[in-house]
Amino acid sequence: MKPVNLNQLLFHPKSTCLSFYVGPRTGLDHEAELEVFLKDMESQLLLQHKVPVAKLLERLKPNIKKIIHCHPDKSHGFFLAEDLQGYINLDQKVEPYCIIGQTFHVRPLMEDLFINPEYILVNISLYDIKIYRGDFQHLEIMQQYEFDQLPKGFFGNNSARLYAPQYMGLIPFKTILALKTIAQKLMDMILYHSLPVIVTGLEELKTIFLRYFEHSFGVISHIHEDFYEKTCVEIVERCKNFRHIVMDYYSAQFKERLKRMVKAKRIISDLEGIIKATYSGKVVHLVLPTEKKLWGRIDPSTGEYSIHKRVNKKNSMDILNELAEEVMRQGGKIQILGPHFFPQDAHVLAILRG
């Protein structure tokens, strides 16, 4: 089995598909529970006369167990069809469940991918400024600026005198000029206007940098970290501690956009209307609640739907998953927000094309 990506799953030709998810290993009994879970899936496949996929699952059991053992702290999604067998590691915790259908079930992947926002990180050390761009899975250095080292022993009692003009000489003028220039360059970047900027590093240098950056939009500067000697992998792990701060930034931005869309009458919350709009290519942005599943059936041509109070393994589908897949196939965007963003009785929101 090989790692697969979301596009491979979304555009896979319709055929018998098994999608199943397992959470991180939580104890010694995990092995026994996994074995029972796999046997139950195999039984369901045989009951539904999906014999080729059932045989495939039986053959791939050792591979599946090996993948889980290699990453015991992660959740996993597995996807089996006669012409595709793959997996994806997930950072978020998921409950074990499986879906047998004509397409792959990718809703948990969406939550893992779309609750993983981008940001710019500016780290100011004694020796340089590094500018990173990334998310909570990958990070890369965009630019690096080196400047003169500050005098030894500077960060002591002298640091309190930094802000008096007569003591400005404690920091080399070249360093101050570099901080000002880089702050201006970053503000001029088109990308900057759509991404939050996290400023970390030595407090005294951060303060000077933020003098020239303080009126900028979306700056997170109260995090006390210095990543000078850290690798990108180490920084990503540390950044996960303030993931919620970045998420709050994005949620606030999207909430403002929703208000504008309501005024322009481009947002709808009626499920039947959203189904019609989705399959006619009118939805540019679909907003889903975290972790919610809506089991039932839909008719793409009429927009009619039925909600199943009990999941029918043969006939039920996750309606929200079907809508999200269709929007992404058409090039639309997905946004995942907490339940409190949704009007009462609204399962999903859609922003229509202008």
Side-chain angles (χ1 to χ4, degrees):
M1 296 184 77
K2 296 181 179 180
V4 292
N5 59 50
L6 186 59
N7 279 343
Q8 286 177 274
L9 303 175
L10 282 175
F11 295 99
H12 181 265
K14 286 193 173 185
S15 62
T16 300
C17 298
L18 171 66
S19 312
F20 66 94
Y21 295 86
V22 293
R25 296 179 66 185
T26 53
L28 296 174
D29 56 349
H30 184 273
E31 192 74 32
E33 291 174 357
L34 178 62
E35 186 61 37
V36 171
F37 181 58
L38 294 172
K39 282 188 175 295
D40 284 347
M41 281 192 292
E42 194 175 343
S43 299
Q44 284 297 324
L45 287 164
L46 292 172
L47 283 172
Q48 296 184 34
H49 308 292
K50 315 292 186 186
V51 177
V53 179
K55 289 181 177 179
L56 198 58
L57 176 61
E58 176 64 28
R59 180 169 62 83
L60 292 173
K61 274 184 185 179
N63 302 58
I64 292 167
K65 291 177 181 178
K66 184 178 178 181
I67 291 165
I68 293 172
H69 291 160
C70 286
H71 303 280
D73 57 333
K74 290 186 177 291
S75 298
H76 300 81
F78 293 92
F79 310 94
L80 305 185
E82 289 187 68
D83 58 343
L84 186 150
Q85 301 91 45
Y87 70 93
I88 294 179
N89 296 328
L90 303 172
D91 284 329
Q92 65 164 338
K93 185 178 179 180
V94 298
E95 294 298 323
Y97 73 97
C98 74
I99 299 288
I100 302 167
Q102 290 297 297
T103 59
F104 289 115
H105 183 82
V106 298
R107 177 70 188 283
L109 301 185
M110 293 178 203
E111 299 204 357
D112 202 68
L113 291 171
F114 294 104
I115 308 184
N116 185 35
E118 281 191 292
Y119 55 88
I120 290 175
L121 174 70
V122 179
N123 190 74
I124 310 170
S125 76
L126 196 62
Y127 306 97
D128 62 15
I129 294 182
K130 291 190 181 81
I131 301 175
Y132 302 83
R133 179 190 176 186
D135 52 34
F136 295 98
Q137 293 178 349
H138 306 285
L139 195 70
E140 62 180 356
I141 296 177
M142 294 169 58
Q143 290 173 309
Q144 178 179 1
Y145 301 90
E146 295 184 352
F147 43 68
D148 292 343
Q149 182 177 352
L150 297 178
K152 290 184 178 178
F154 167 75
F155 296 107
N157 294 329
N158 287 334
S159 62
R161 307 185 308 182
L162 172 64
Y163 308 107
Q166 64 266 34
Y167 294 112
M168 201 59 120
L170 290 172
I171 295 180
F173 178 73
K174 185 179 177 181
T175 300
I176 296 170
L177 186 61
L179 291 167
K180 180 179 180 179
T181 303
I182 295 163
Q184 190 60 53
K185 280 186 177 181
L186 191 55
M187 286 190 290
D188 290 341
M189 289 171 58
I190 296 174
L191 179 66
Y192 163 73
H193 295 289
S194 61
L195 296 180
V197 175
I198 300 166
V199 182
T200 60
L202 296 173
E203 289 300 318
E204 287 83 354
L205 294 176
K206 276 173 58 178
T207 302
I208 294 176
F209 179 80
L210 290 169
R211 282 185 187 178
Y212 308 109
F213 206 59
E214 61 185 355
H215 298 298
S216 303
F217 185 65
V219 178
I220 301 167
S221 62
H222 59 276
I223 295 161
H224 304 292
E225 293 276 3
D226 183 6
F227 296 126
Y228 174 67
E229 295 183 334
K230 305 289 186 193
T231 65
C232 286
V233 174
E234 290 171 325
I235 294 173
V236 166
E237 286 303 311
R238 295 292 296 153
C239 284
K240 288 178 181 178
N241 293 334
F242 47 85
R243 178 173 181 161
H244 67 283
I245 301 173
V246 179
M247 283 304 304
D248 288 345
Y249 164 85
Y250 274 100
S251 295
Q253 295 300 306
F254 196 73
K255 191 174 182 180
E256 290 303 312
R257 187 183 176 195
L258 288 180
K259 288 179 182 177
R260 294 196 300 270
M261 294 300 103
V262 168
K263 288 182 181 179
K265 297 182 179 180
R266 283 181 53 201
I267 188 166
I268 56 174
S269 59
D270 170 59
L271 185 56
E272 185 172 326
I274 290 174
I275 293 170
K276 284 182 181 178
T278 296
Y279 286 94
S280 59
K282 295 179 181 178
V283 175
V284 69
H285 212 134
L286 192 72
V287 189
L288 303 172
T290 53
E291 299 181 358
K292 182 174 181 177
K293 296 178 180 63
L294 188 66
W295 299 105
R297 300 293 297 179
I298 58 175
D299 185 336
S301 58
T302 64
E304 293 180 359
Y305 66 92
S306 60
I307 296 176
H308 299 170
K309 292 182 178 179
R310 291 187 178 181
V311 178
N312 183 321
K313 292 184 177 179
K314 288 187 177 180
N315 298 316
S316 295
M317 63 170 64
D318 180 358
I319 294 174
L320 302 184
N321 178 77
E322 296 297 312
L323 294 174
E325 286 186 12
E326 185 62 28
V327 168
M328 284 193 292
R329 288 191 194 101
Q330 295 174 10
K333 295 182 179 180
I334 303 296
Q335 178 79 30
I336 311 289
L337 291 177
H340 60 281
F341 278 96
F342 292 78
Q344 191 174 3
D345 299 326
H347 301 291
V348 61
L349 299 174
I351 296 175
L352 304 179
R353 298 184 187 278

